Amino acid sequence: MTFNTFKFAAVAAALALSAPAFASLTYATGQDLDHDDLDDQFTVNSAQAYLVTAAAPGWPVLPQPSVTSGRYISWDPIQSGRPSTVFRNNVYNYSFQFNWAGSMLQGNADTTTFDFRWISDDYLTDVTLNGTSLGVNNIGASKVWRISNSASVVGELLQGLNTINFLVNNTGGGANGLAADFTIHGNAVAVPSSDVPEPAPLALMGLGLAIALAVSRKRA
């Protein structure tokens, strides 16, 4: 093995170990690994998405595996007792971001499929991907809280960062919330809460570069 080949292999190995693992991504609303009563990934109208602790009357008890594995999230943890005269005709934008790796091998854009399960108050008027409608909604449902599913929805993704928006219209006023789970098929990973790399991957990368540098000095 030549030095250049060894050096390339060492650096490539370090980068591979430090890279995130991309695979099909499934996420359910209401995940709170740090126990701060906020959803780990979602925002509502660009603000923090709270886990609902006081649901409005009539909201189904969740999670239910046959309905959705998600829990209710909203702009405020207390949604019980909201008068119908407030927040009428507001649109709530529940936003989720993820990174996509498939397009790195296929140009600037790529397509994949999504599966969605949700219930919402009021009606879910649209789900968008990077601002483009996916044609997903429950506007025609007989009841606001009727179980809704959309499978094999096709969407076009961008290399790197992508954004899914669940648009919930509060036409009746009062309480508002979303509970959902969804799958992004292939080469996706949720955006971490911090952009700072983890110490372990940084150490592995440094080790690979140190080996290459040591060999270089020895040959010199």
Side-chain angles (χ1 to χ4, degrees):
M1 178 183 293
T2 65
F3 168 70
N4 286 336
T5 302
F6 175 82
K7 183 178 180 180
F8 174 80
V11 174
L15 291 174
L17 288 171
S18 64
F22 287 86
S24 292
L25 169 65
T26 296
Y27 190 83
T29 56
Q31 294 189 30
D32 181 23
L33 296 180
D34 53 2
H35 305 291
D36 61 356
D37 298 323
L38 301 171
D39 189 279
D40 291 335
Q41 301 293 336
F42 268 87
T43 60
V44 182
N45 292 351
S46 301
Q48 295 171 313
Y50 287 89
L51 277 62
V52 173
T53 56
W59 288 13
V61 177
L62 294 178
Q64 294 185 36
S66 62
V67 178
T68 176
S69 56
R71 292 177 167 85
Y72 297 119
I73 58 174
S74 189
W75 57 272
D76 188 274
I78 308 299
Q79 291 298 317
S80 177
R82 297 285 179 187
S84 61
T85 55
V86 300
F87 311 120
R88 188 184 299 276
N89 298 321
N90 281 15
V91 176
Y92 291 86
N93 182 354
Y94 293 81
S95 182
F96 176 90
Q97 293 187 313
F98 65 97
N99 280 315
W100 175 255
S103 57
M104 294 180 181
L105 302 176
Q106 302 177 39
N108 292 326
D110 198 9
T111 58
T112 193
T113 57
F114 301 79
D115 299 330
F116 298 99
R117 299 193 307 169
W118 79 93
I119 52 179
S120 59
D121 183 3
D122 285 358
Y123 293 104
L124 181 79
T125 59
D126 202 0
V127 176
T128 66
L129 175 63
N130 302 320
T132 300
S133 173
L134 294 178
V136 175
N137 63 75
N138 64 351
I139 297 174
S142 58
K143 295 181 180 180
V144 170
W145 284 110
R146 184 172 180 178
I147 302 167
S148 301
N149 301 279
S150 291
S152 301
V153 178
V154 178
E156 185 175 278
L157 302 112
L158 303 175
Q159 177 178 331
L161 187 66
N162 291 261
T163 302
I164 297 176
N165 292 319
F166 295 77
L167 304 179
V168 180
N169 191 12
N170 204 15
T171 54
N176 177 270
L178 172 74
D181 60 69
F182 54 94
T183 298
I184 306 164
H185 292 283
N187 301 323
V189 63
V191 173
S193 57
S194 172
D195 292 330
V196 179
E198 295 180 1
L202 284 177
L204 290 169
M205 183 182 294
L207 177 61
L209 294 175
I211 293 173
L213 181 61
V215 172
S216 175
R217 289 176 176 173
K218 184 175 181 181
R219 290 179 64 86

